[in-house]
């Protein structure tokens, strides 16, 4: 958690205007752990996406480019990270907090603590980037220093509490958990076969259920941008039993969120439900596999949410829309498949409700566009 926060602050600093003091803070902090960038290929890809990446110090650009391939530059270059006017010697890189002081601006407590976190964490001898144990957090906060979920972080407290009560999964030893987290942290389309082999080597049969739980709860539910990558990873694993475990775990977590108290607005639960809905569609509909009636009855779920009221629909409609998105990639479930059309008819009826919130209408409209369905035609064809 601390490492993730520190790395995020460095990226945010590097995104500031070139030559600004916060930008130089990010450059100095990044230079301090440039030798370990090879362990974070996805992080390097985020760095390369920064608008003024080409204006980074040349040696850091080289480290980042090699880091995207999990490699280190062969000549291990070094160079100046601050302009001479700041009077910092390039041969003895200053800690990030010192760099801020040398720029003429006293360091804020936040800058000092983040700089210390980056240097302490990245220069330690351990190679585990994050903890992977599936345990209940000590507080319900979704973001550091904030009691409320934010748009960039998602709180999985609801899932963790339910798992503690319902599931008794044997966790692997801590060093195995750290290796599993390391594999997923450094996963990319380039190294899929290699990482699949590494996972098979370290995970024995008794721990695959824990891995499935970890993948769904700690990765899929909050990292919707990487759903395609995780789906490819499962395809490369070629383990039908593991695939079935992931499907069951996904359904279990969806049921937990659908049963959860919706009397108060909870952004985290809504976000988790949408992410799991998208993932469920990718595992089933996108691969031409049906969602069984006994698992989730999508049509009845929509009707039930309508009867319960607007608060319930704010959870259910976006969830159903995300599941149905995958029909566009399916040969079997693409319209005019009767099952798909029946669900779309219900959504079209809900769309014309006068009291329907605009953002829910928008979810339905976006889905219709992806499925290339005319919403007005759907309304007229309600069965």
């Amino acid at each position: 958690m601390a490492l993730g926060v520190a790395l995020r602050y460095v990226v945010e600093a590097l995104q500031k205007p070139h030559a600004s003091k916060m930008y130089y803070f990010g450059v100095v902090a990044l230079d301090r752990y440039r030798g370990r960038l090879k362990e974070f290929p996805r992080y390097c890809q985020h760095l390369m996406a920064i608008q003024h990446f080409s204006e980074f110090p040349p040696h850091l650009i080289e480290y980042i480019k090699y880091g995207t391939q999990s490699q280190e530059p062969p000549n291990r270059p070094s160079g100046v990270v601050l302009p001479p006017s700041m009077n910092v010697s390039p041969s003895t890189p200053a800690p990030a907090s010192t760099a801020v002081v040398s720029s003429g601006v006293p360091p804020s407590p936040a800058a000092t603590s983040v700089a210390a976190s980056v240097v302490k964490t990245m220069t330690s001898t351990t190679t585990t980037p994050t903890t992977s144990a599936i345990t209940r957090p000590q507080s319900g906060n979704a973001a550091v220093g904030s009691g409320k979920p934010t748009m960039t972080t998602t709180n999985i407290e609801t899932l963790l509490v339910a798992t503690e009560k319902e599931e008794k999964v044997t966790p692997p030893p801590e060093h195995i958990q750290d290796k599993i987290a390391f594999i997923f942290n450094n996963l990319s389309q380039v190294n899929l076969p290699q990482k699949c082999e590494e996972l098979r080597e370290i995970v024995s049969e008794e721990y695959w259920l824990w891995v499935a739980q970890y993948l769904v709860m700690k990765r899929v539910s909050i990292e919707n941008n990487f759903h395609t990558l995780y789906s490819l990873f499962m395809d490369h694993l070629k383990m039908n039993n593991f695939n079935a475990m992931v499907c069951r775990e996904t359904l279990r977590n969806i049921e937990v969120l659908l049963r959860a108290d919706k009397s108060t607005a909870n952004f985290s639960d809504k976000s988790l439900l949408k992410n799991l809905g998208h993932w469920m569609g990718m595992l089933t509909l996108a691969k031409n596999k049906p969602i069984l009636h006994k698992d989730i009855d999508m049509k009845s779920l929509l009707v039930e949410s309508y009867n319960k009221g607007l608060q319930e629909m704010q959870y259910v409609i976006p969830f159903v829309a995300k599941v149905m998105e995958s029909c566009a990639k399916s040969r079997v479930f693409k319209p005019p498949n009767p099952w798909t059309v029946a669900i779309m008819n219900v959504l079209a009826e809900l769309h014309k409700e006068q009291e329907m919130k605009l953002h829910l209408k928008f979810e339905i409209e976006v889905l219709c566009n992806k499925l290339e369905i005319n919403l007005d035609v759907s309304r007229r064809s309600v069965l």
Side-chain angles (χ1 to χ4, degrees):
M1 180 69 75
L3 175 61
V5 172
L7 294 179
R8 188 174 76 237
Y9 273 116
V10 173
V11 172
E12 290 177 358
L14 290 168
Q15 290 171 339
K16 299 296 182 183
H18 183 263
S20 65
K21 291 180 173 63
M22 280 302 295
Y23 166 80
Y24 285 129
F25 159 75
V27 168
V28 173
L30 186 66
D31 186 65
R32 290 288 291 182
Y33 59 86
R34 62 181 185 268
R36 288 194 58 191
L37 286 174
K38 62 181 182 293
E39 300 173 18
F40 307 98
R42 284 199 320 212
Y43 184 71
C44 292
Q45 291 169 9
H46 288 303
L47 293 174
M48 288 186 67
I50 294 175
Q51 188 173 7
H52 47 263
F53 170 72
S54 59
E55 299 178 32
F56 283 18
H59 70 288
L60 286 181
I61 291 178
E62 196 170 347
Y63 270 97
I64 293 168
K65 286 183 176 178
Y66 273 90
T68 59
Q69 318 227 339
S70 300
Q71 297 177 2
E72 191 174 58
N75 55 348
R76 296 186 179 180
S78 61
V80 177
V81 293
L82 291 176
S85 60
M86 290 192 173
N87 195 27
V88 176
S89 170
S91 60
T92 56
S97 57
T98 306
V100 178
V101 174
S102 64
S103 67
V105 179
S108 66
T112 304
S113 62
V114 170
S117 176
V118 172
V119 174
K120 179 180 177 181
T121 309
M122 297 304 297
T123 56
S124 63
T125 56
T126 179
T127 59
T128 54
T130 182
T131 179
S132 61
I134 300 180
T135 54
R136 181 176 179 177
Q138 293 183 0
S139 68
N141 293 352
V144 176
S146 170
K148 298 180 180 179
T150 68
M151 294 297 290
T152 55
T153 58
T154 305
N155 183 10
I156 60 172
E157 175 83 1
T158 302
L159 300 181
L160 292 172
V161 171
T163 301
E164 286 181 356
K165 295 178 179 178
E166 298 175 10
E167 295 289 311
K168 301 298 180 184
V169 178
T170 304
E174 191 169 343
H175 71 280
I176 300 284
Q177 295 182 27
D178 291 339
K179 289 180 180 179
I180 293 170
F182 186 81
I183 287 173
F184 281 102
N185 281 337
N186 294 278
L187 194 62
S188 69
Q189 294 194 22
V190 178
N191 61 18
L192 280 175
Q194 172 195 342
K195 295 302 180 183
C196 287
E197 190 59 36
E198 289 179 14
L199 191 65
R200 288 194 197 94
E201 290 177 0
I202 65 173
V203 179
S204 58
E205 187 175 352
E206 61 184 312
Y207 299 132
W208 279 111
L209 183 56
W210 184 92
V211 176
Q213 192 175 93
Y214 170 80
L215 175 61
V216 174
M217 289 178 58
K218 290 296 188 73
R219 296 290 176 172
V220 167
S221 65
I222 57 180
E223 297 178 351
N224 59 306
N225 291 334
F226 297 110
H227 283 182
T228 301
L229 180 63
Y230 294 145
S231 179
L232 290 172
F233 182 73
M234 291 175 60
D235 291 341
H236 277 76
L237 267 178
K238 296 179 180 178
M239 294 178 59
N240 292 333
N241 288 343
F242 179 68
N243 291 352
M245 291 177 190
V246 172
C247 284
R248 286 198 303 270
E249 187 63 24
T250 302
L251 284 167
R252 185 186 69 82
N253 283 282
I254 288 172
E255 290 172 1
V256 167
L257 293 170
L258 289 174
R259 291 196 309 261
D261 180 24
K262 304 180 184 66
S263 57
T264 57
N266 187 326
F267 171 79
S268 289
D269 282 6
K270 290 179 185 177
S271 179
L272 291 172
L273 197 53
K274 286 178 67 174
N275 292 345
L276 289 174
H278 183 258
W279 175 247
M280 188 68 201
M282 291 185 67
L283 291 181
T284 54
L285 305 179
K287 297 181 179 180
N288 302 309
K289 298 177 181 177
I291 297 177
L292 301 180
H293 187 278
K294 66 178 182 179
D295 293 329
I296 304 178
D297 183 355
M298 309 283 280
K299 191 173 177 181
S300 298
L301 192 62
L302 288 169
V303 174
E304 183 183 352
S305 71
Y306 174 77
N307 292 328
K308 287 185 176 179
L310 185 59
Q311 189 65 24
E312 185 82 12
M313 286 192 287
Q314 294 202 46
Y315 288 79
V316 172
I317 290 178
F319 164 72
V320 172
K322 283 296 179 183
V323 175
M324 300 302 292
E325 274 185 14
S326 294
C327 292
K329 304 173 185 177
S330 172
R331 296 191 311 273
V332 175
F333 296 99
K334 185 180 294 187
N337 176 280
W339 178 82
T340 303
V341 170
I343 294 172
M344 293 306 300
N345 286 339
V346 177
L347 288 172
E349 277 290 284
L350 293 174
H351 183 274
K352 68 179 182 180
E353 286 292 316
Q354 292 183 352
E355 296 181 359
M356 183 67 64
K357 295 286 186 180
L358 285 177
H359 71 275
L360 296 180
K361 290 188 175 185
F362 181 71
E363 294 274 4
I364 298 171
E365 291 166 6
V366 169
L367 174 61
C368 287
N369 288 335
K370 290 186 176 181
L371 298 183
E372 299 179 352
I373 291 177
N374 187 315
L375 190 57
D376 293 329
V377 173
S378 291
R379 286 174 182 166
R380 291 195 298 269
S381 63
V382 174
L383 298 177

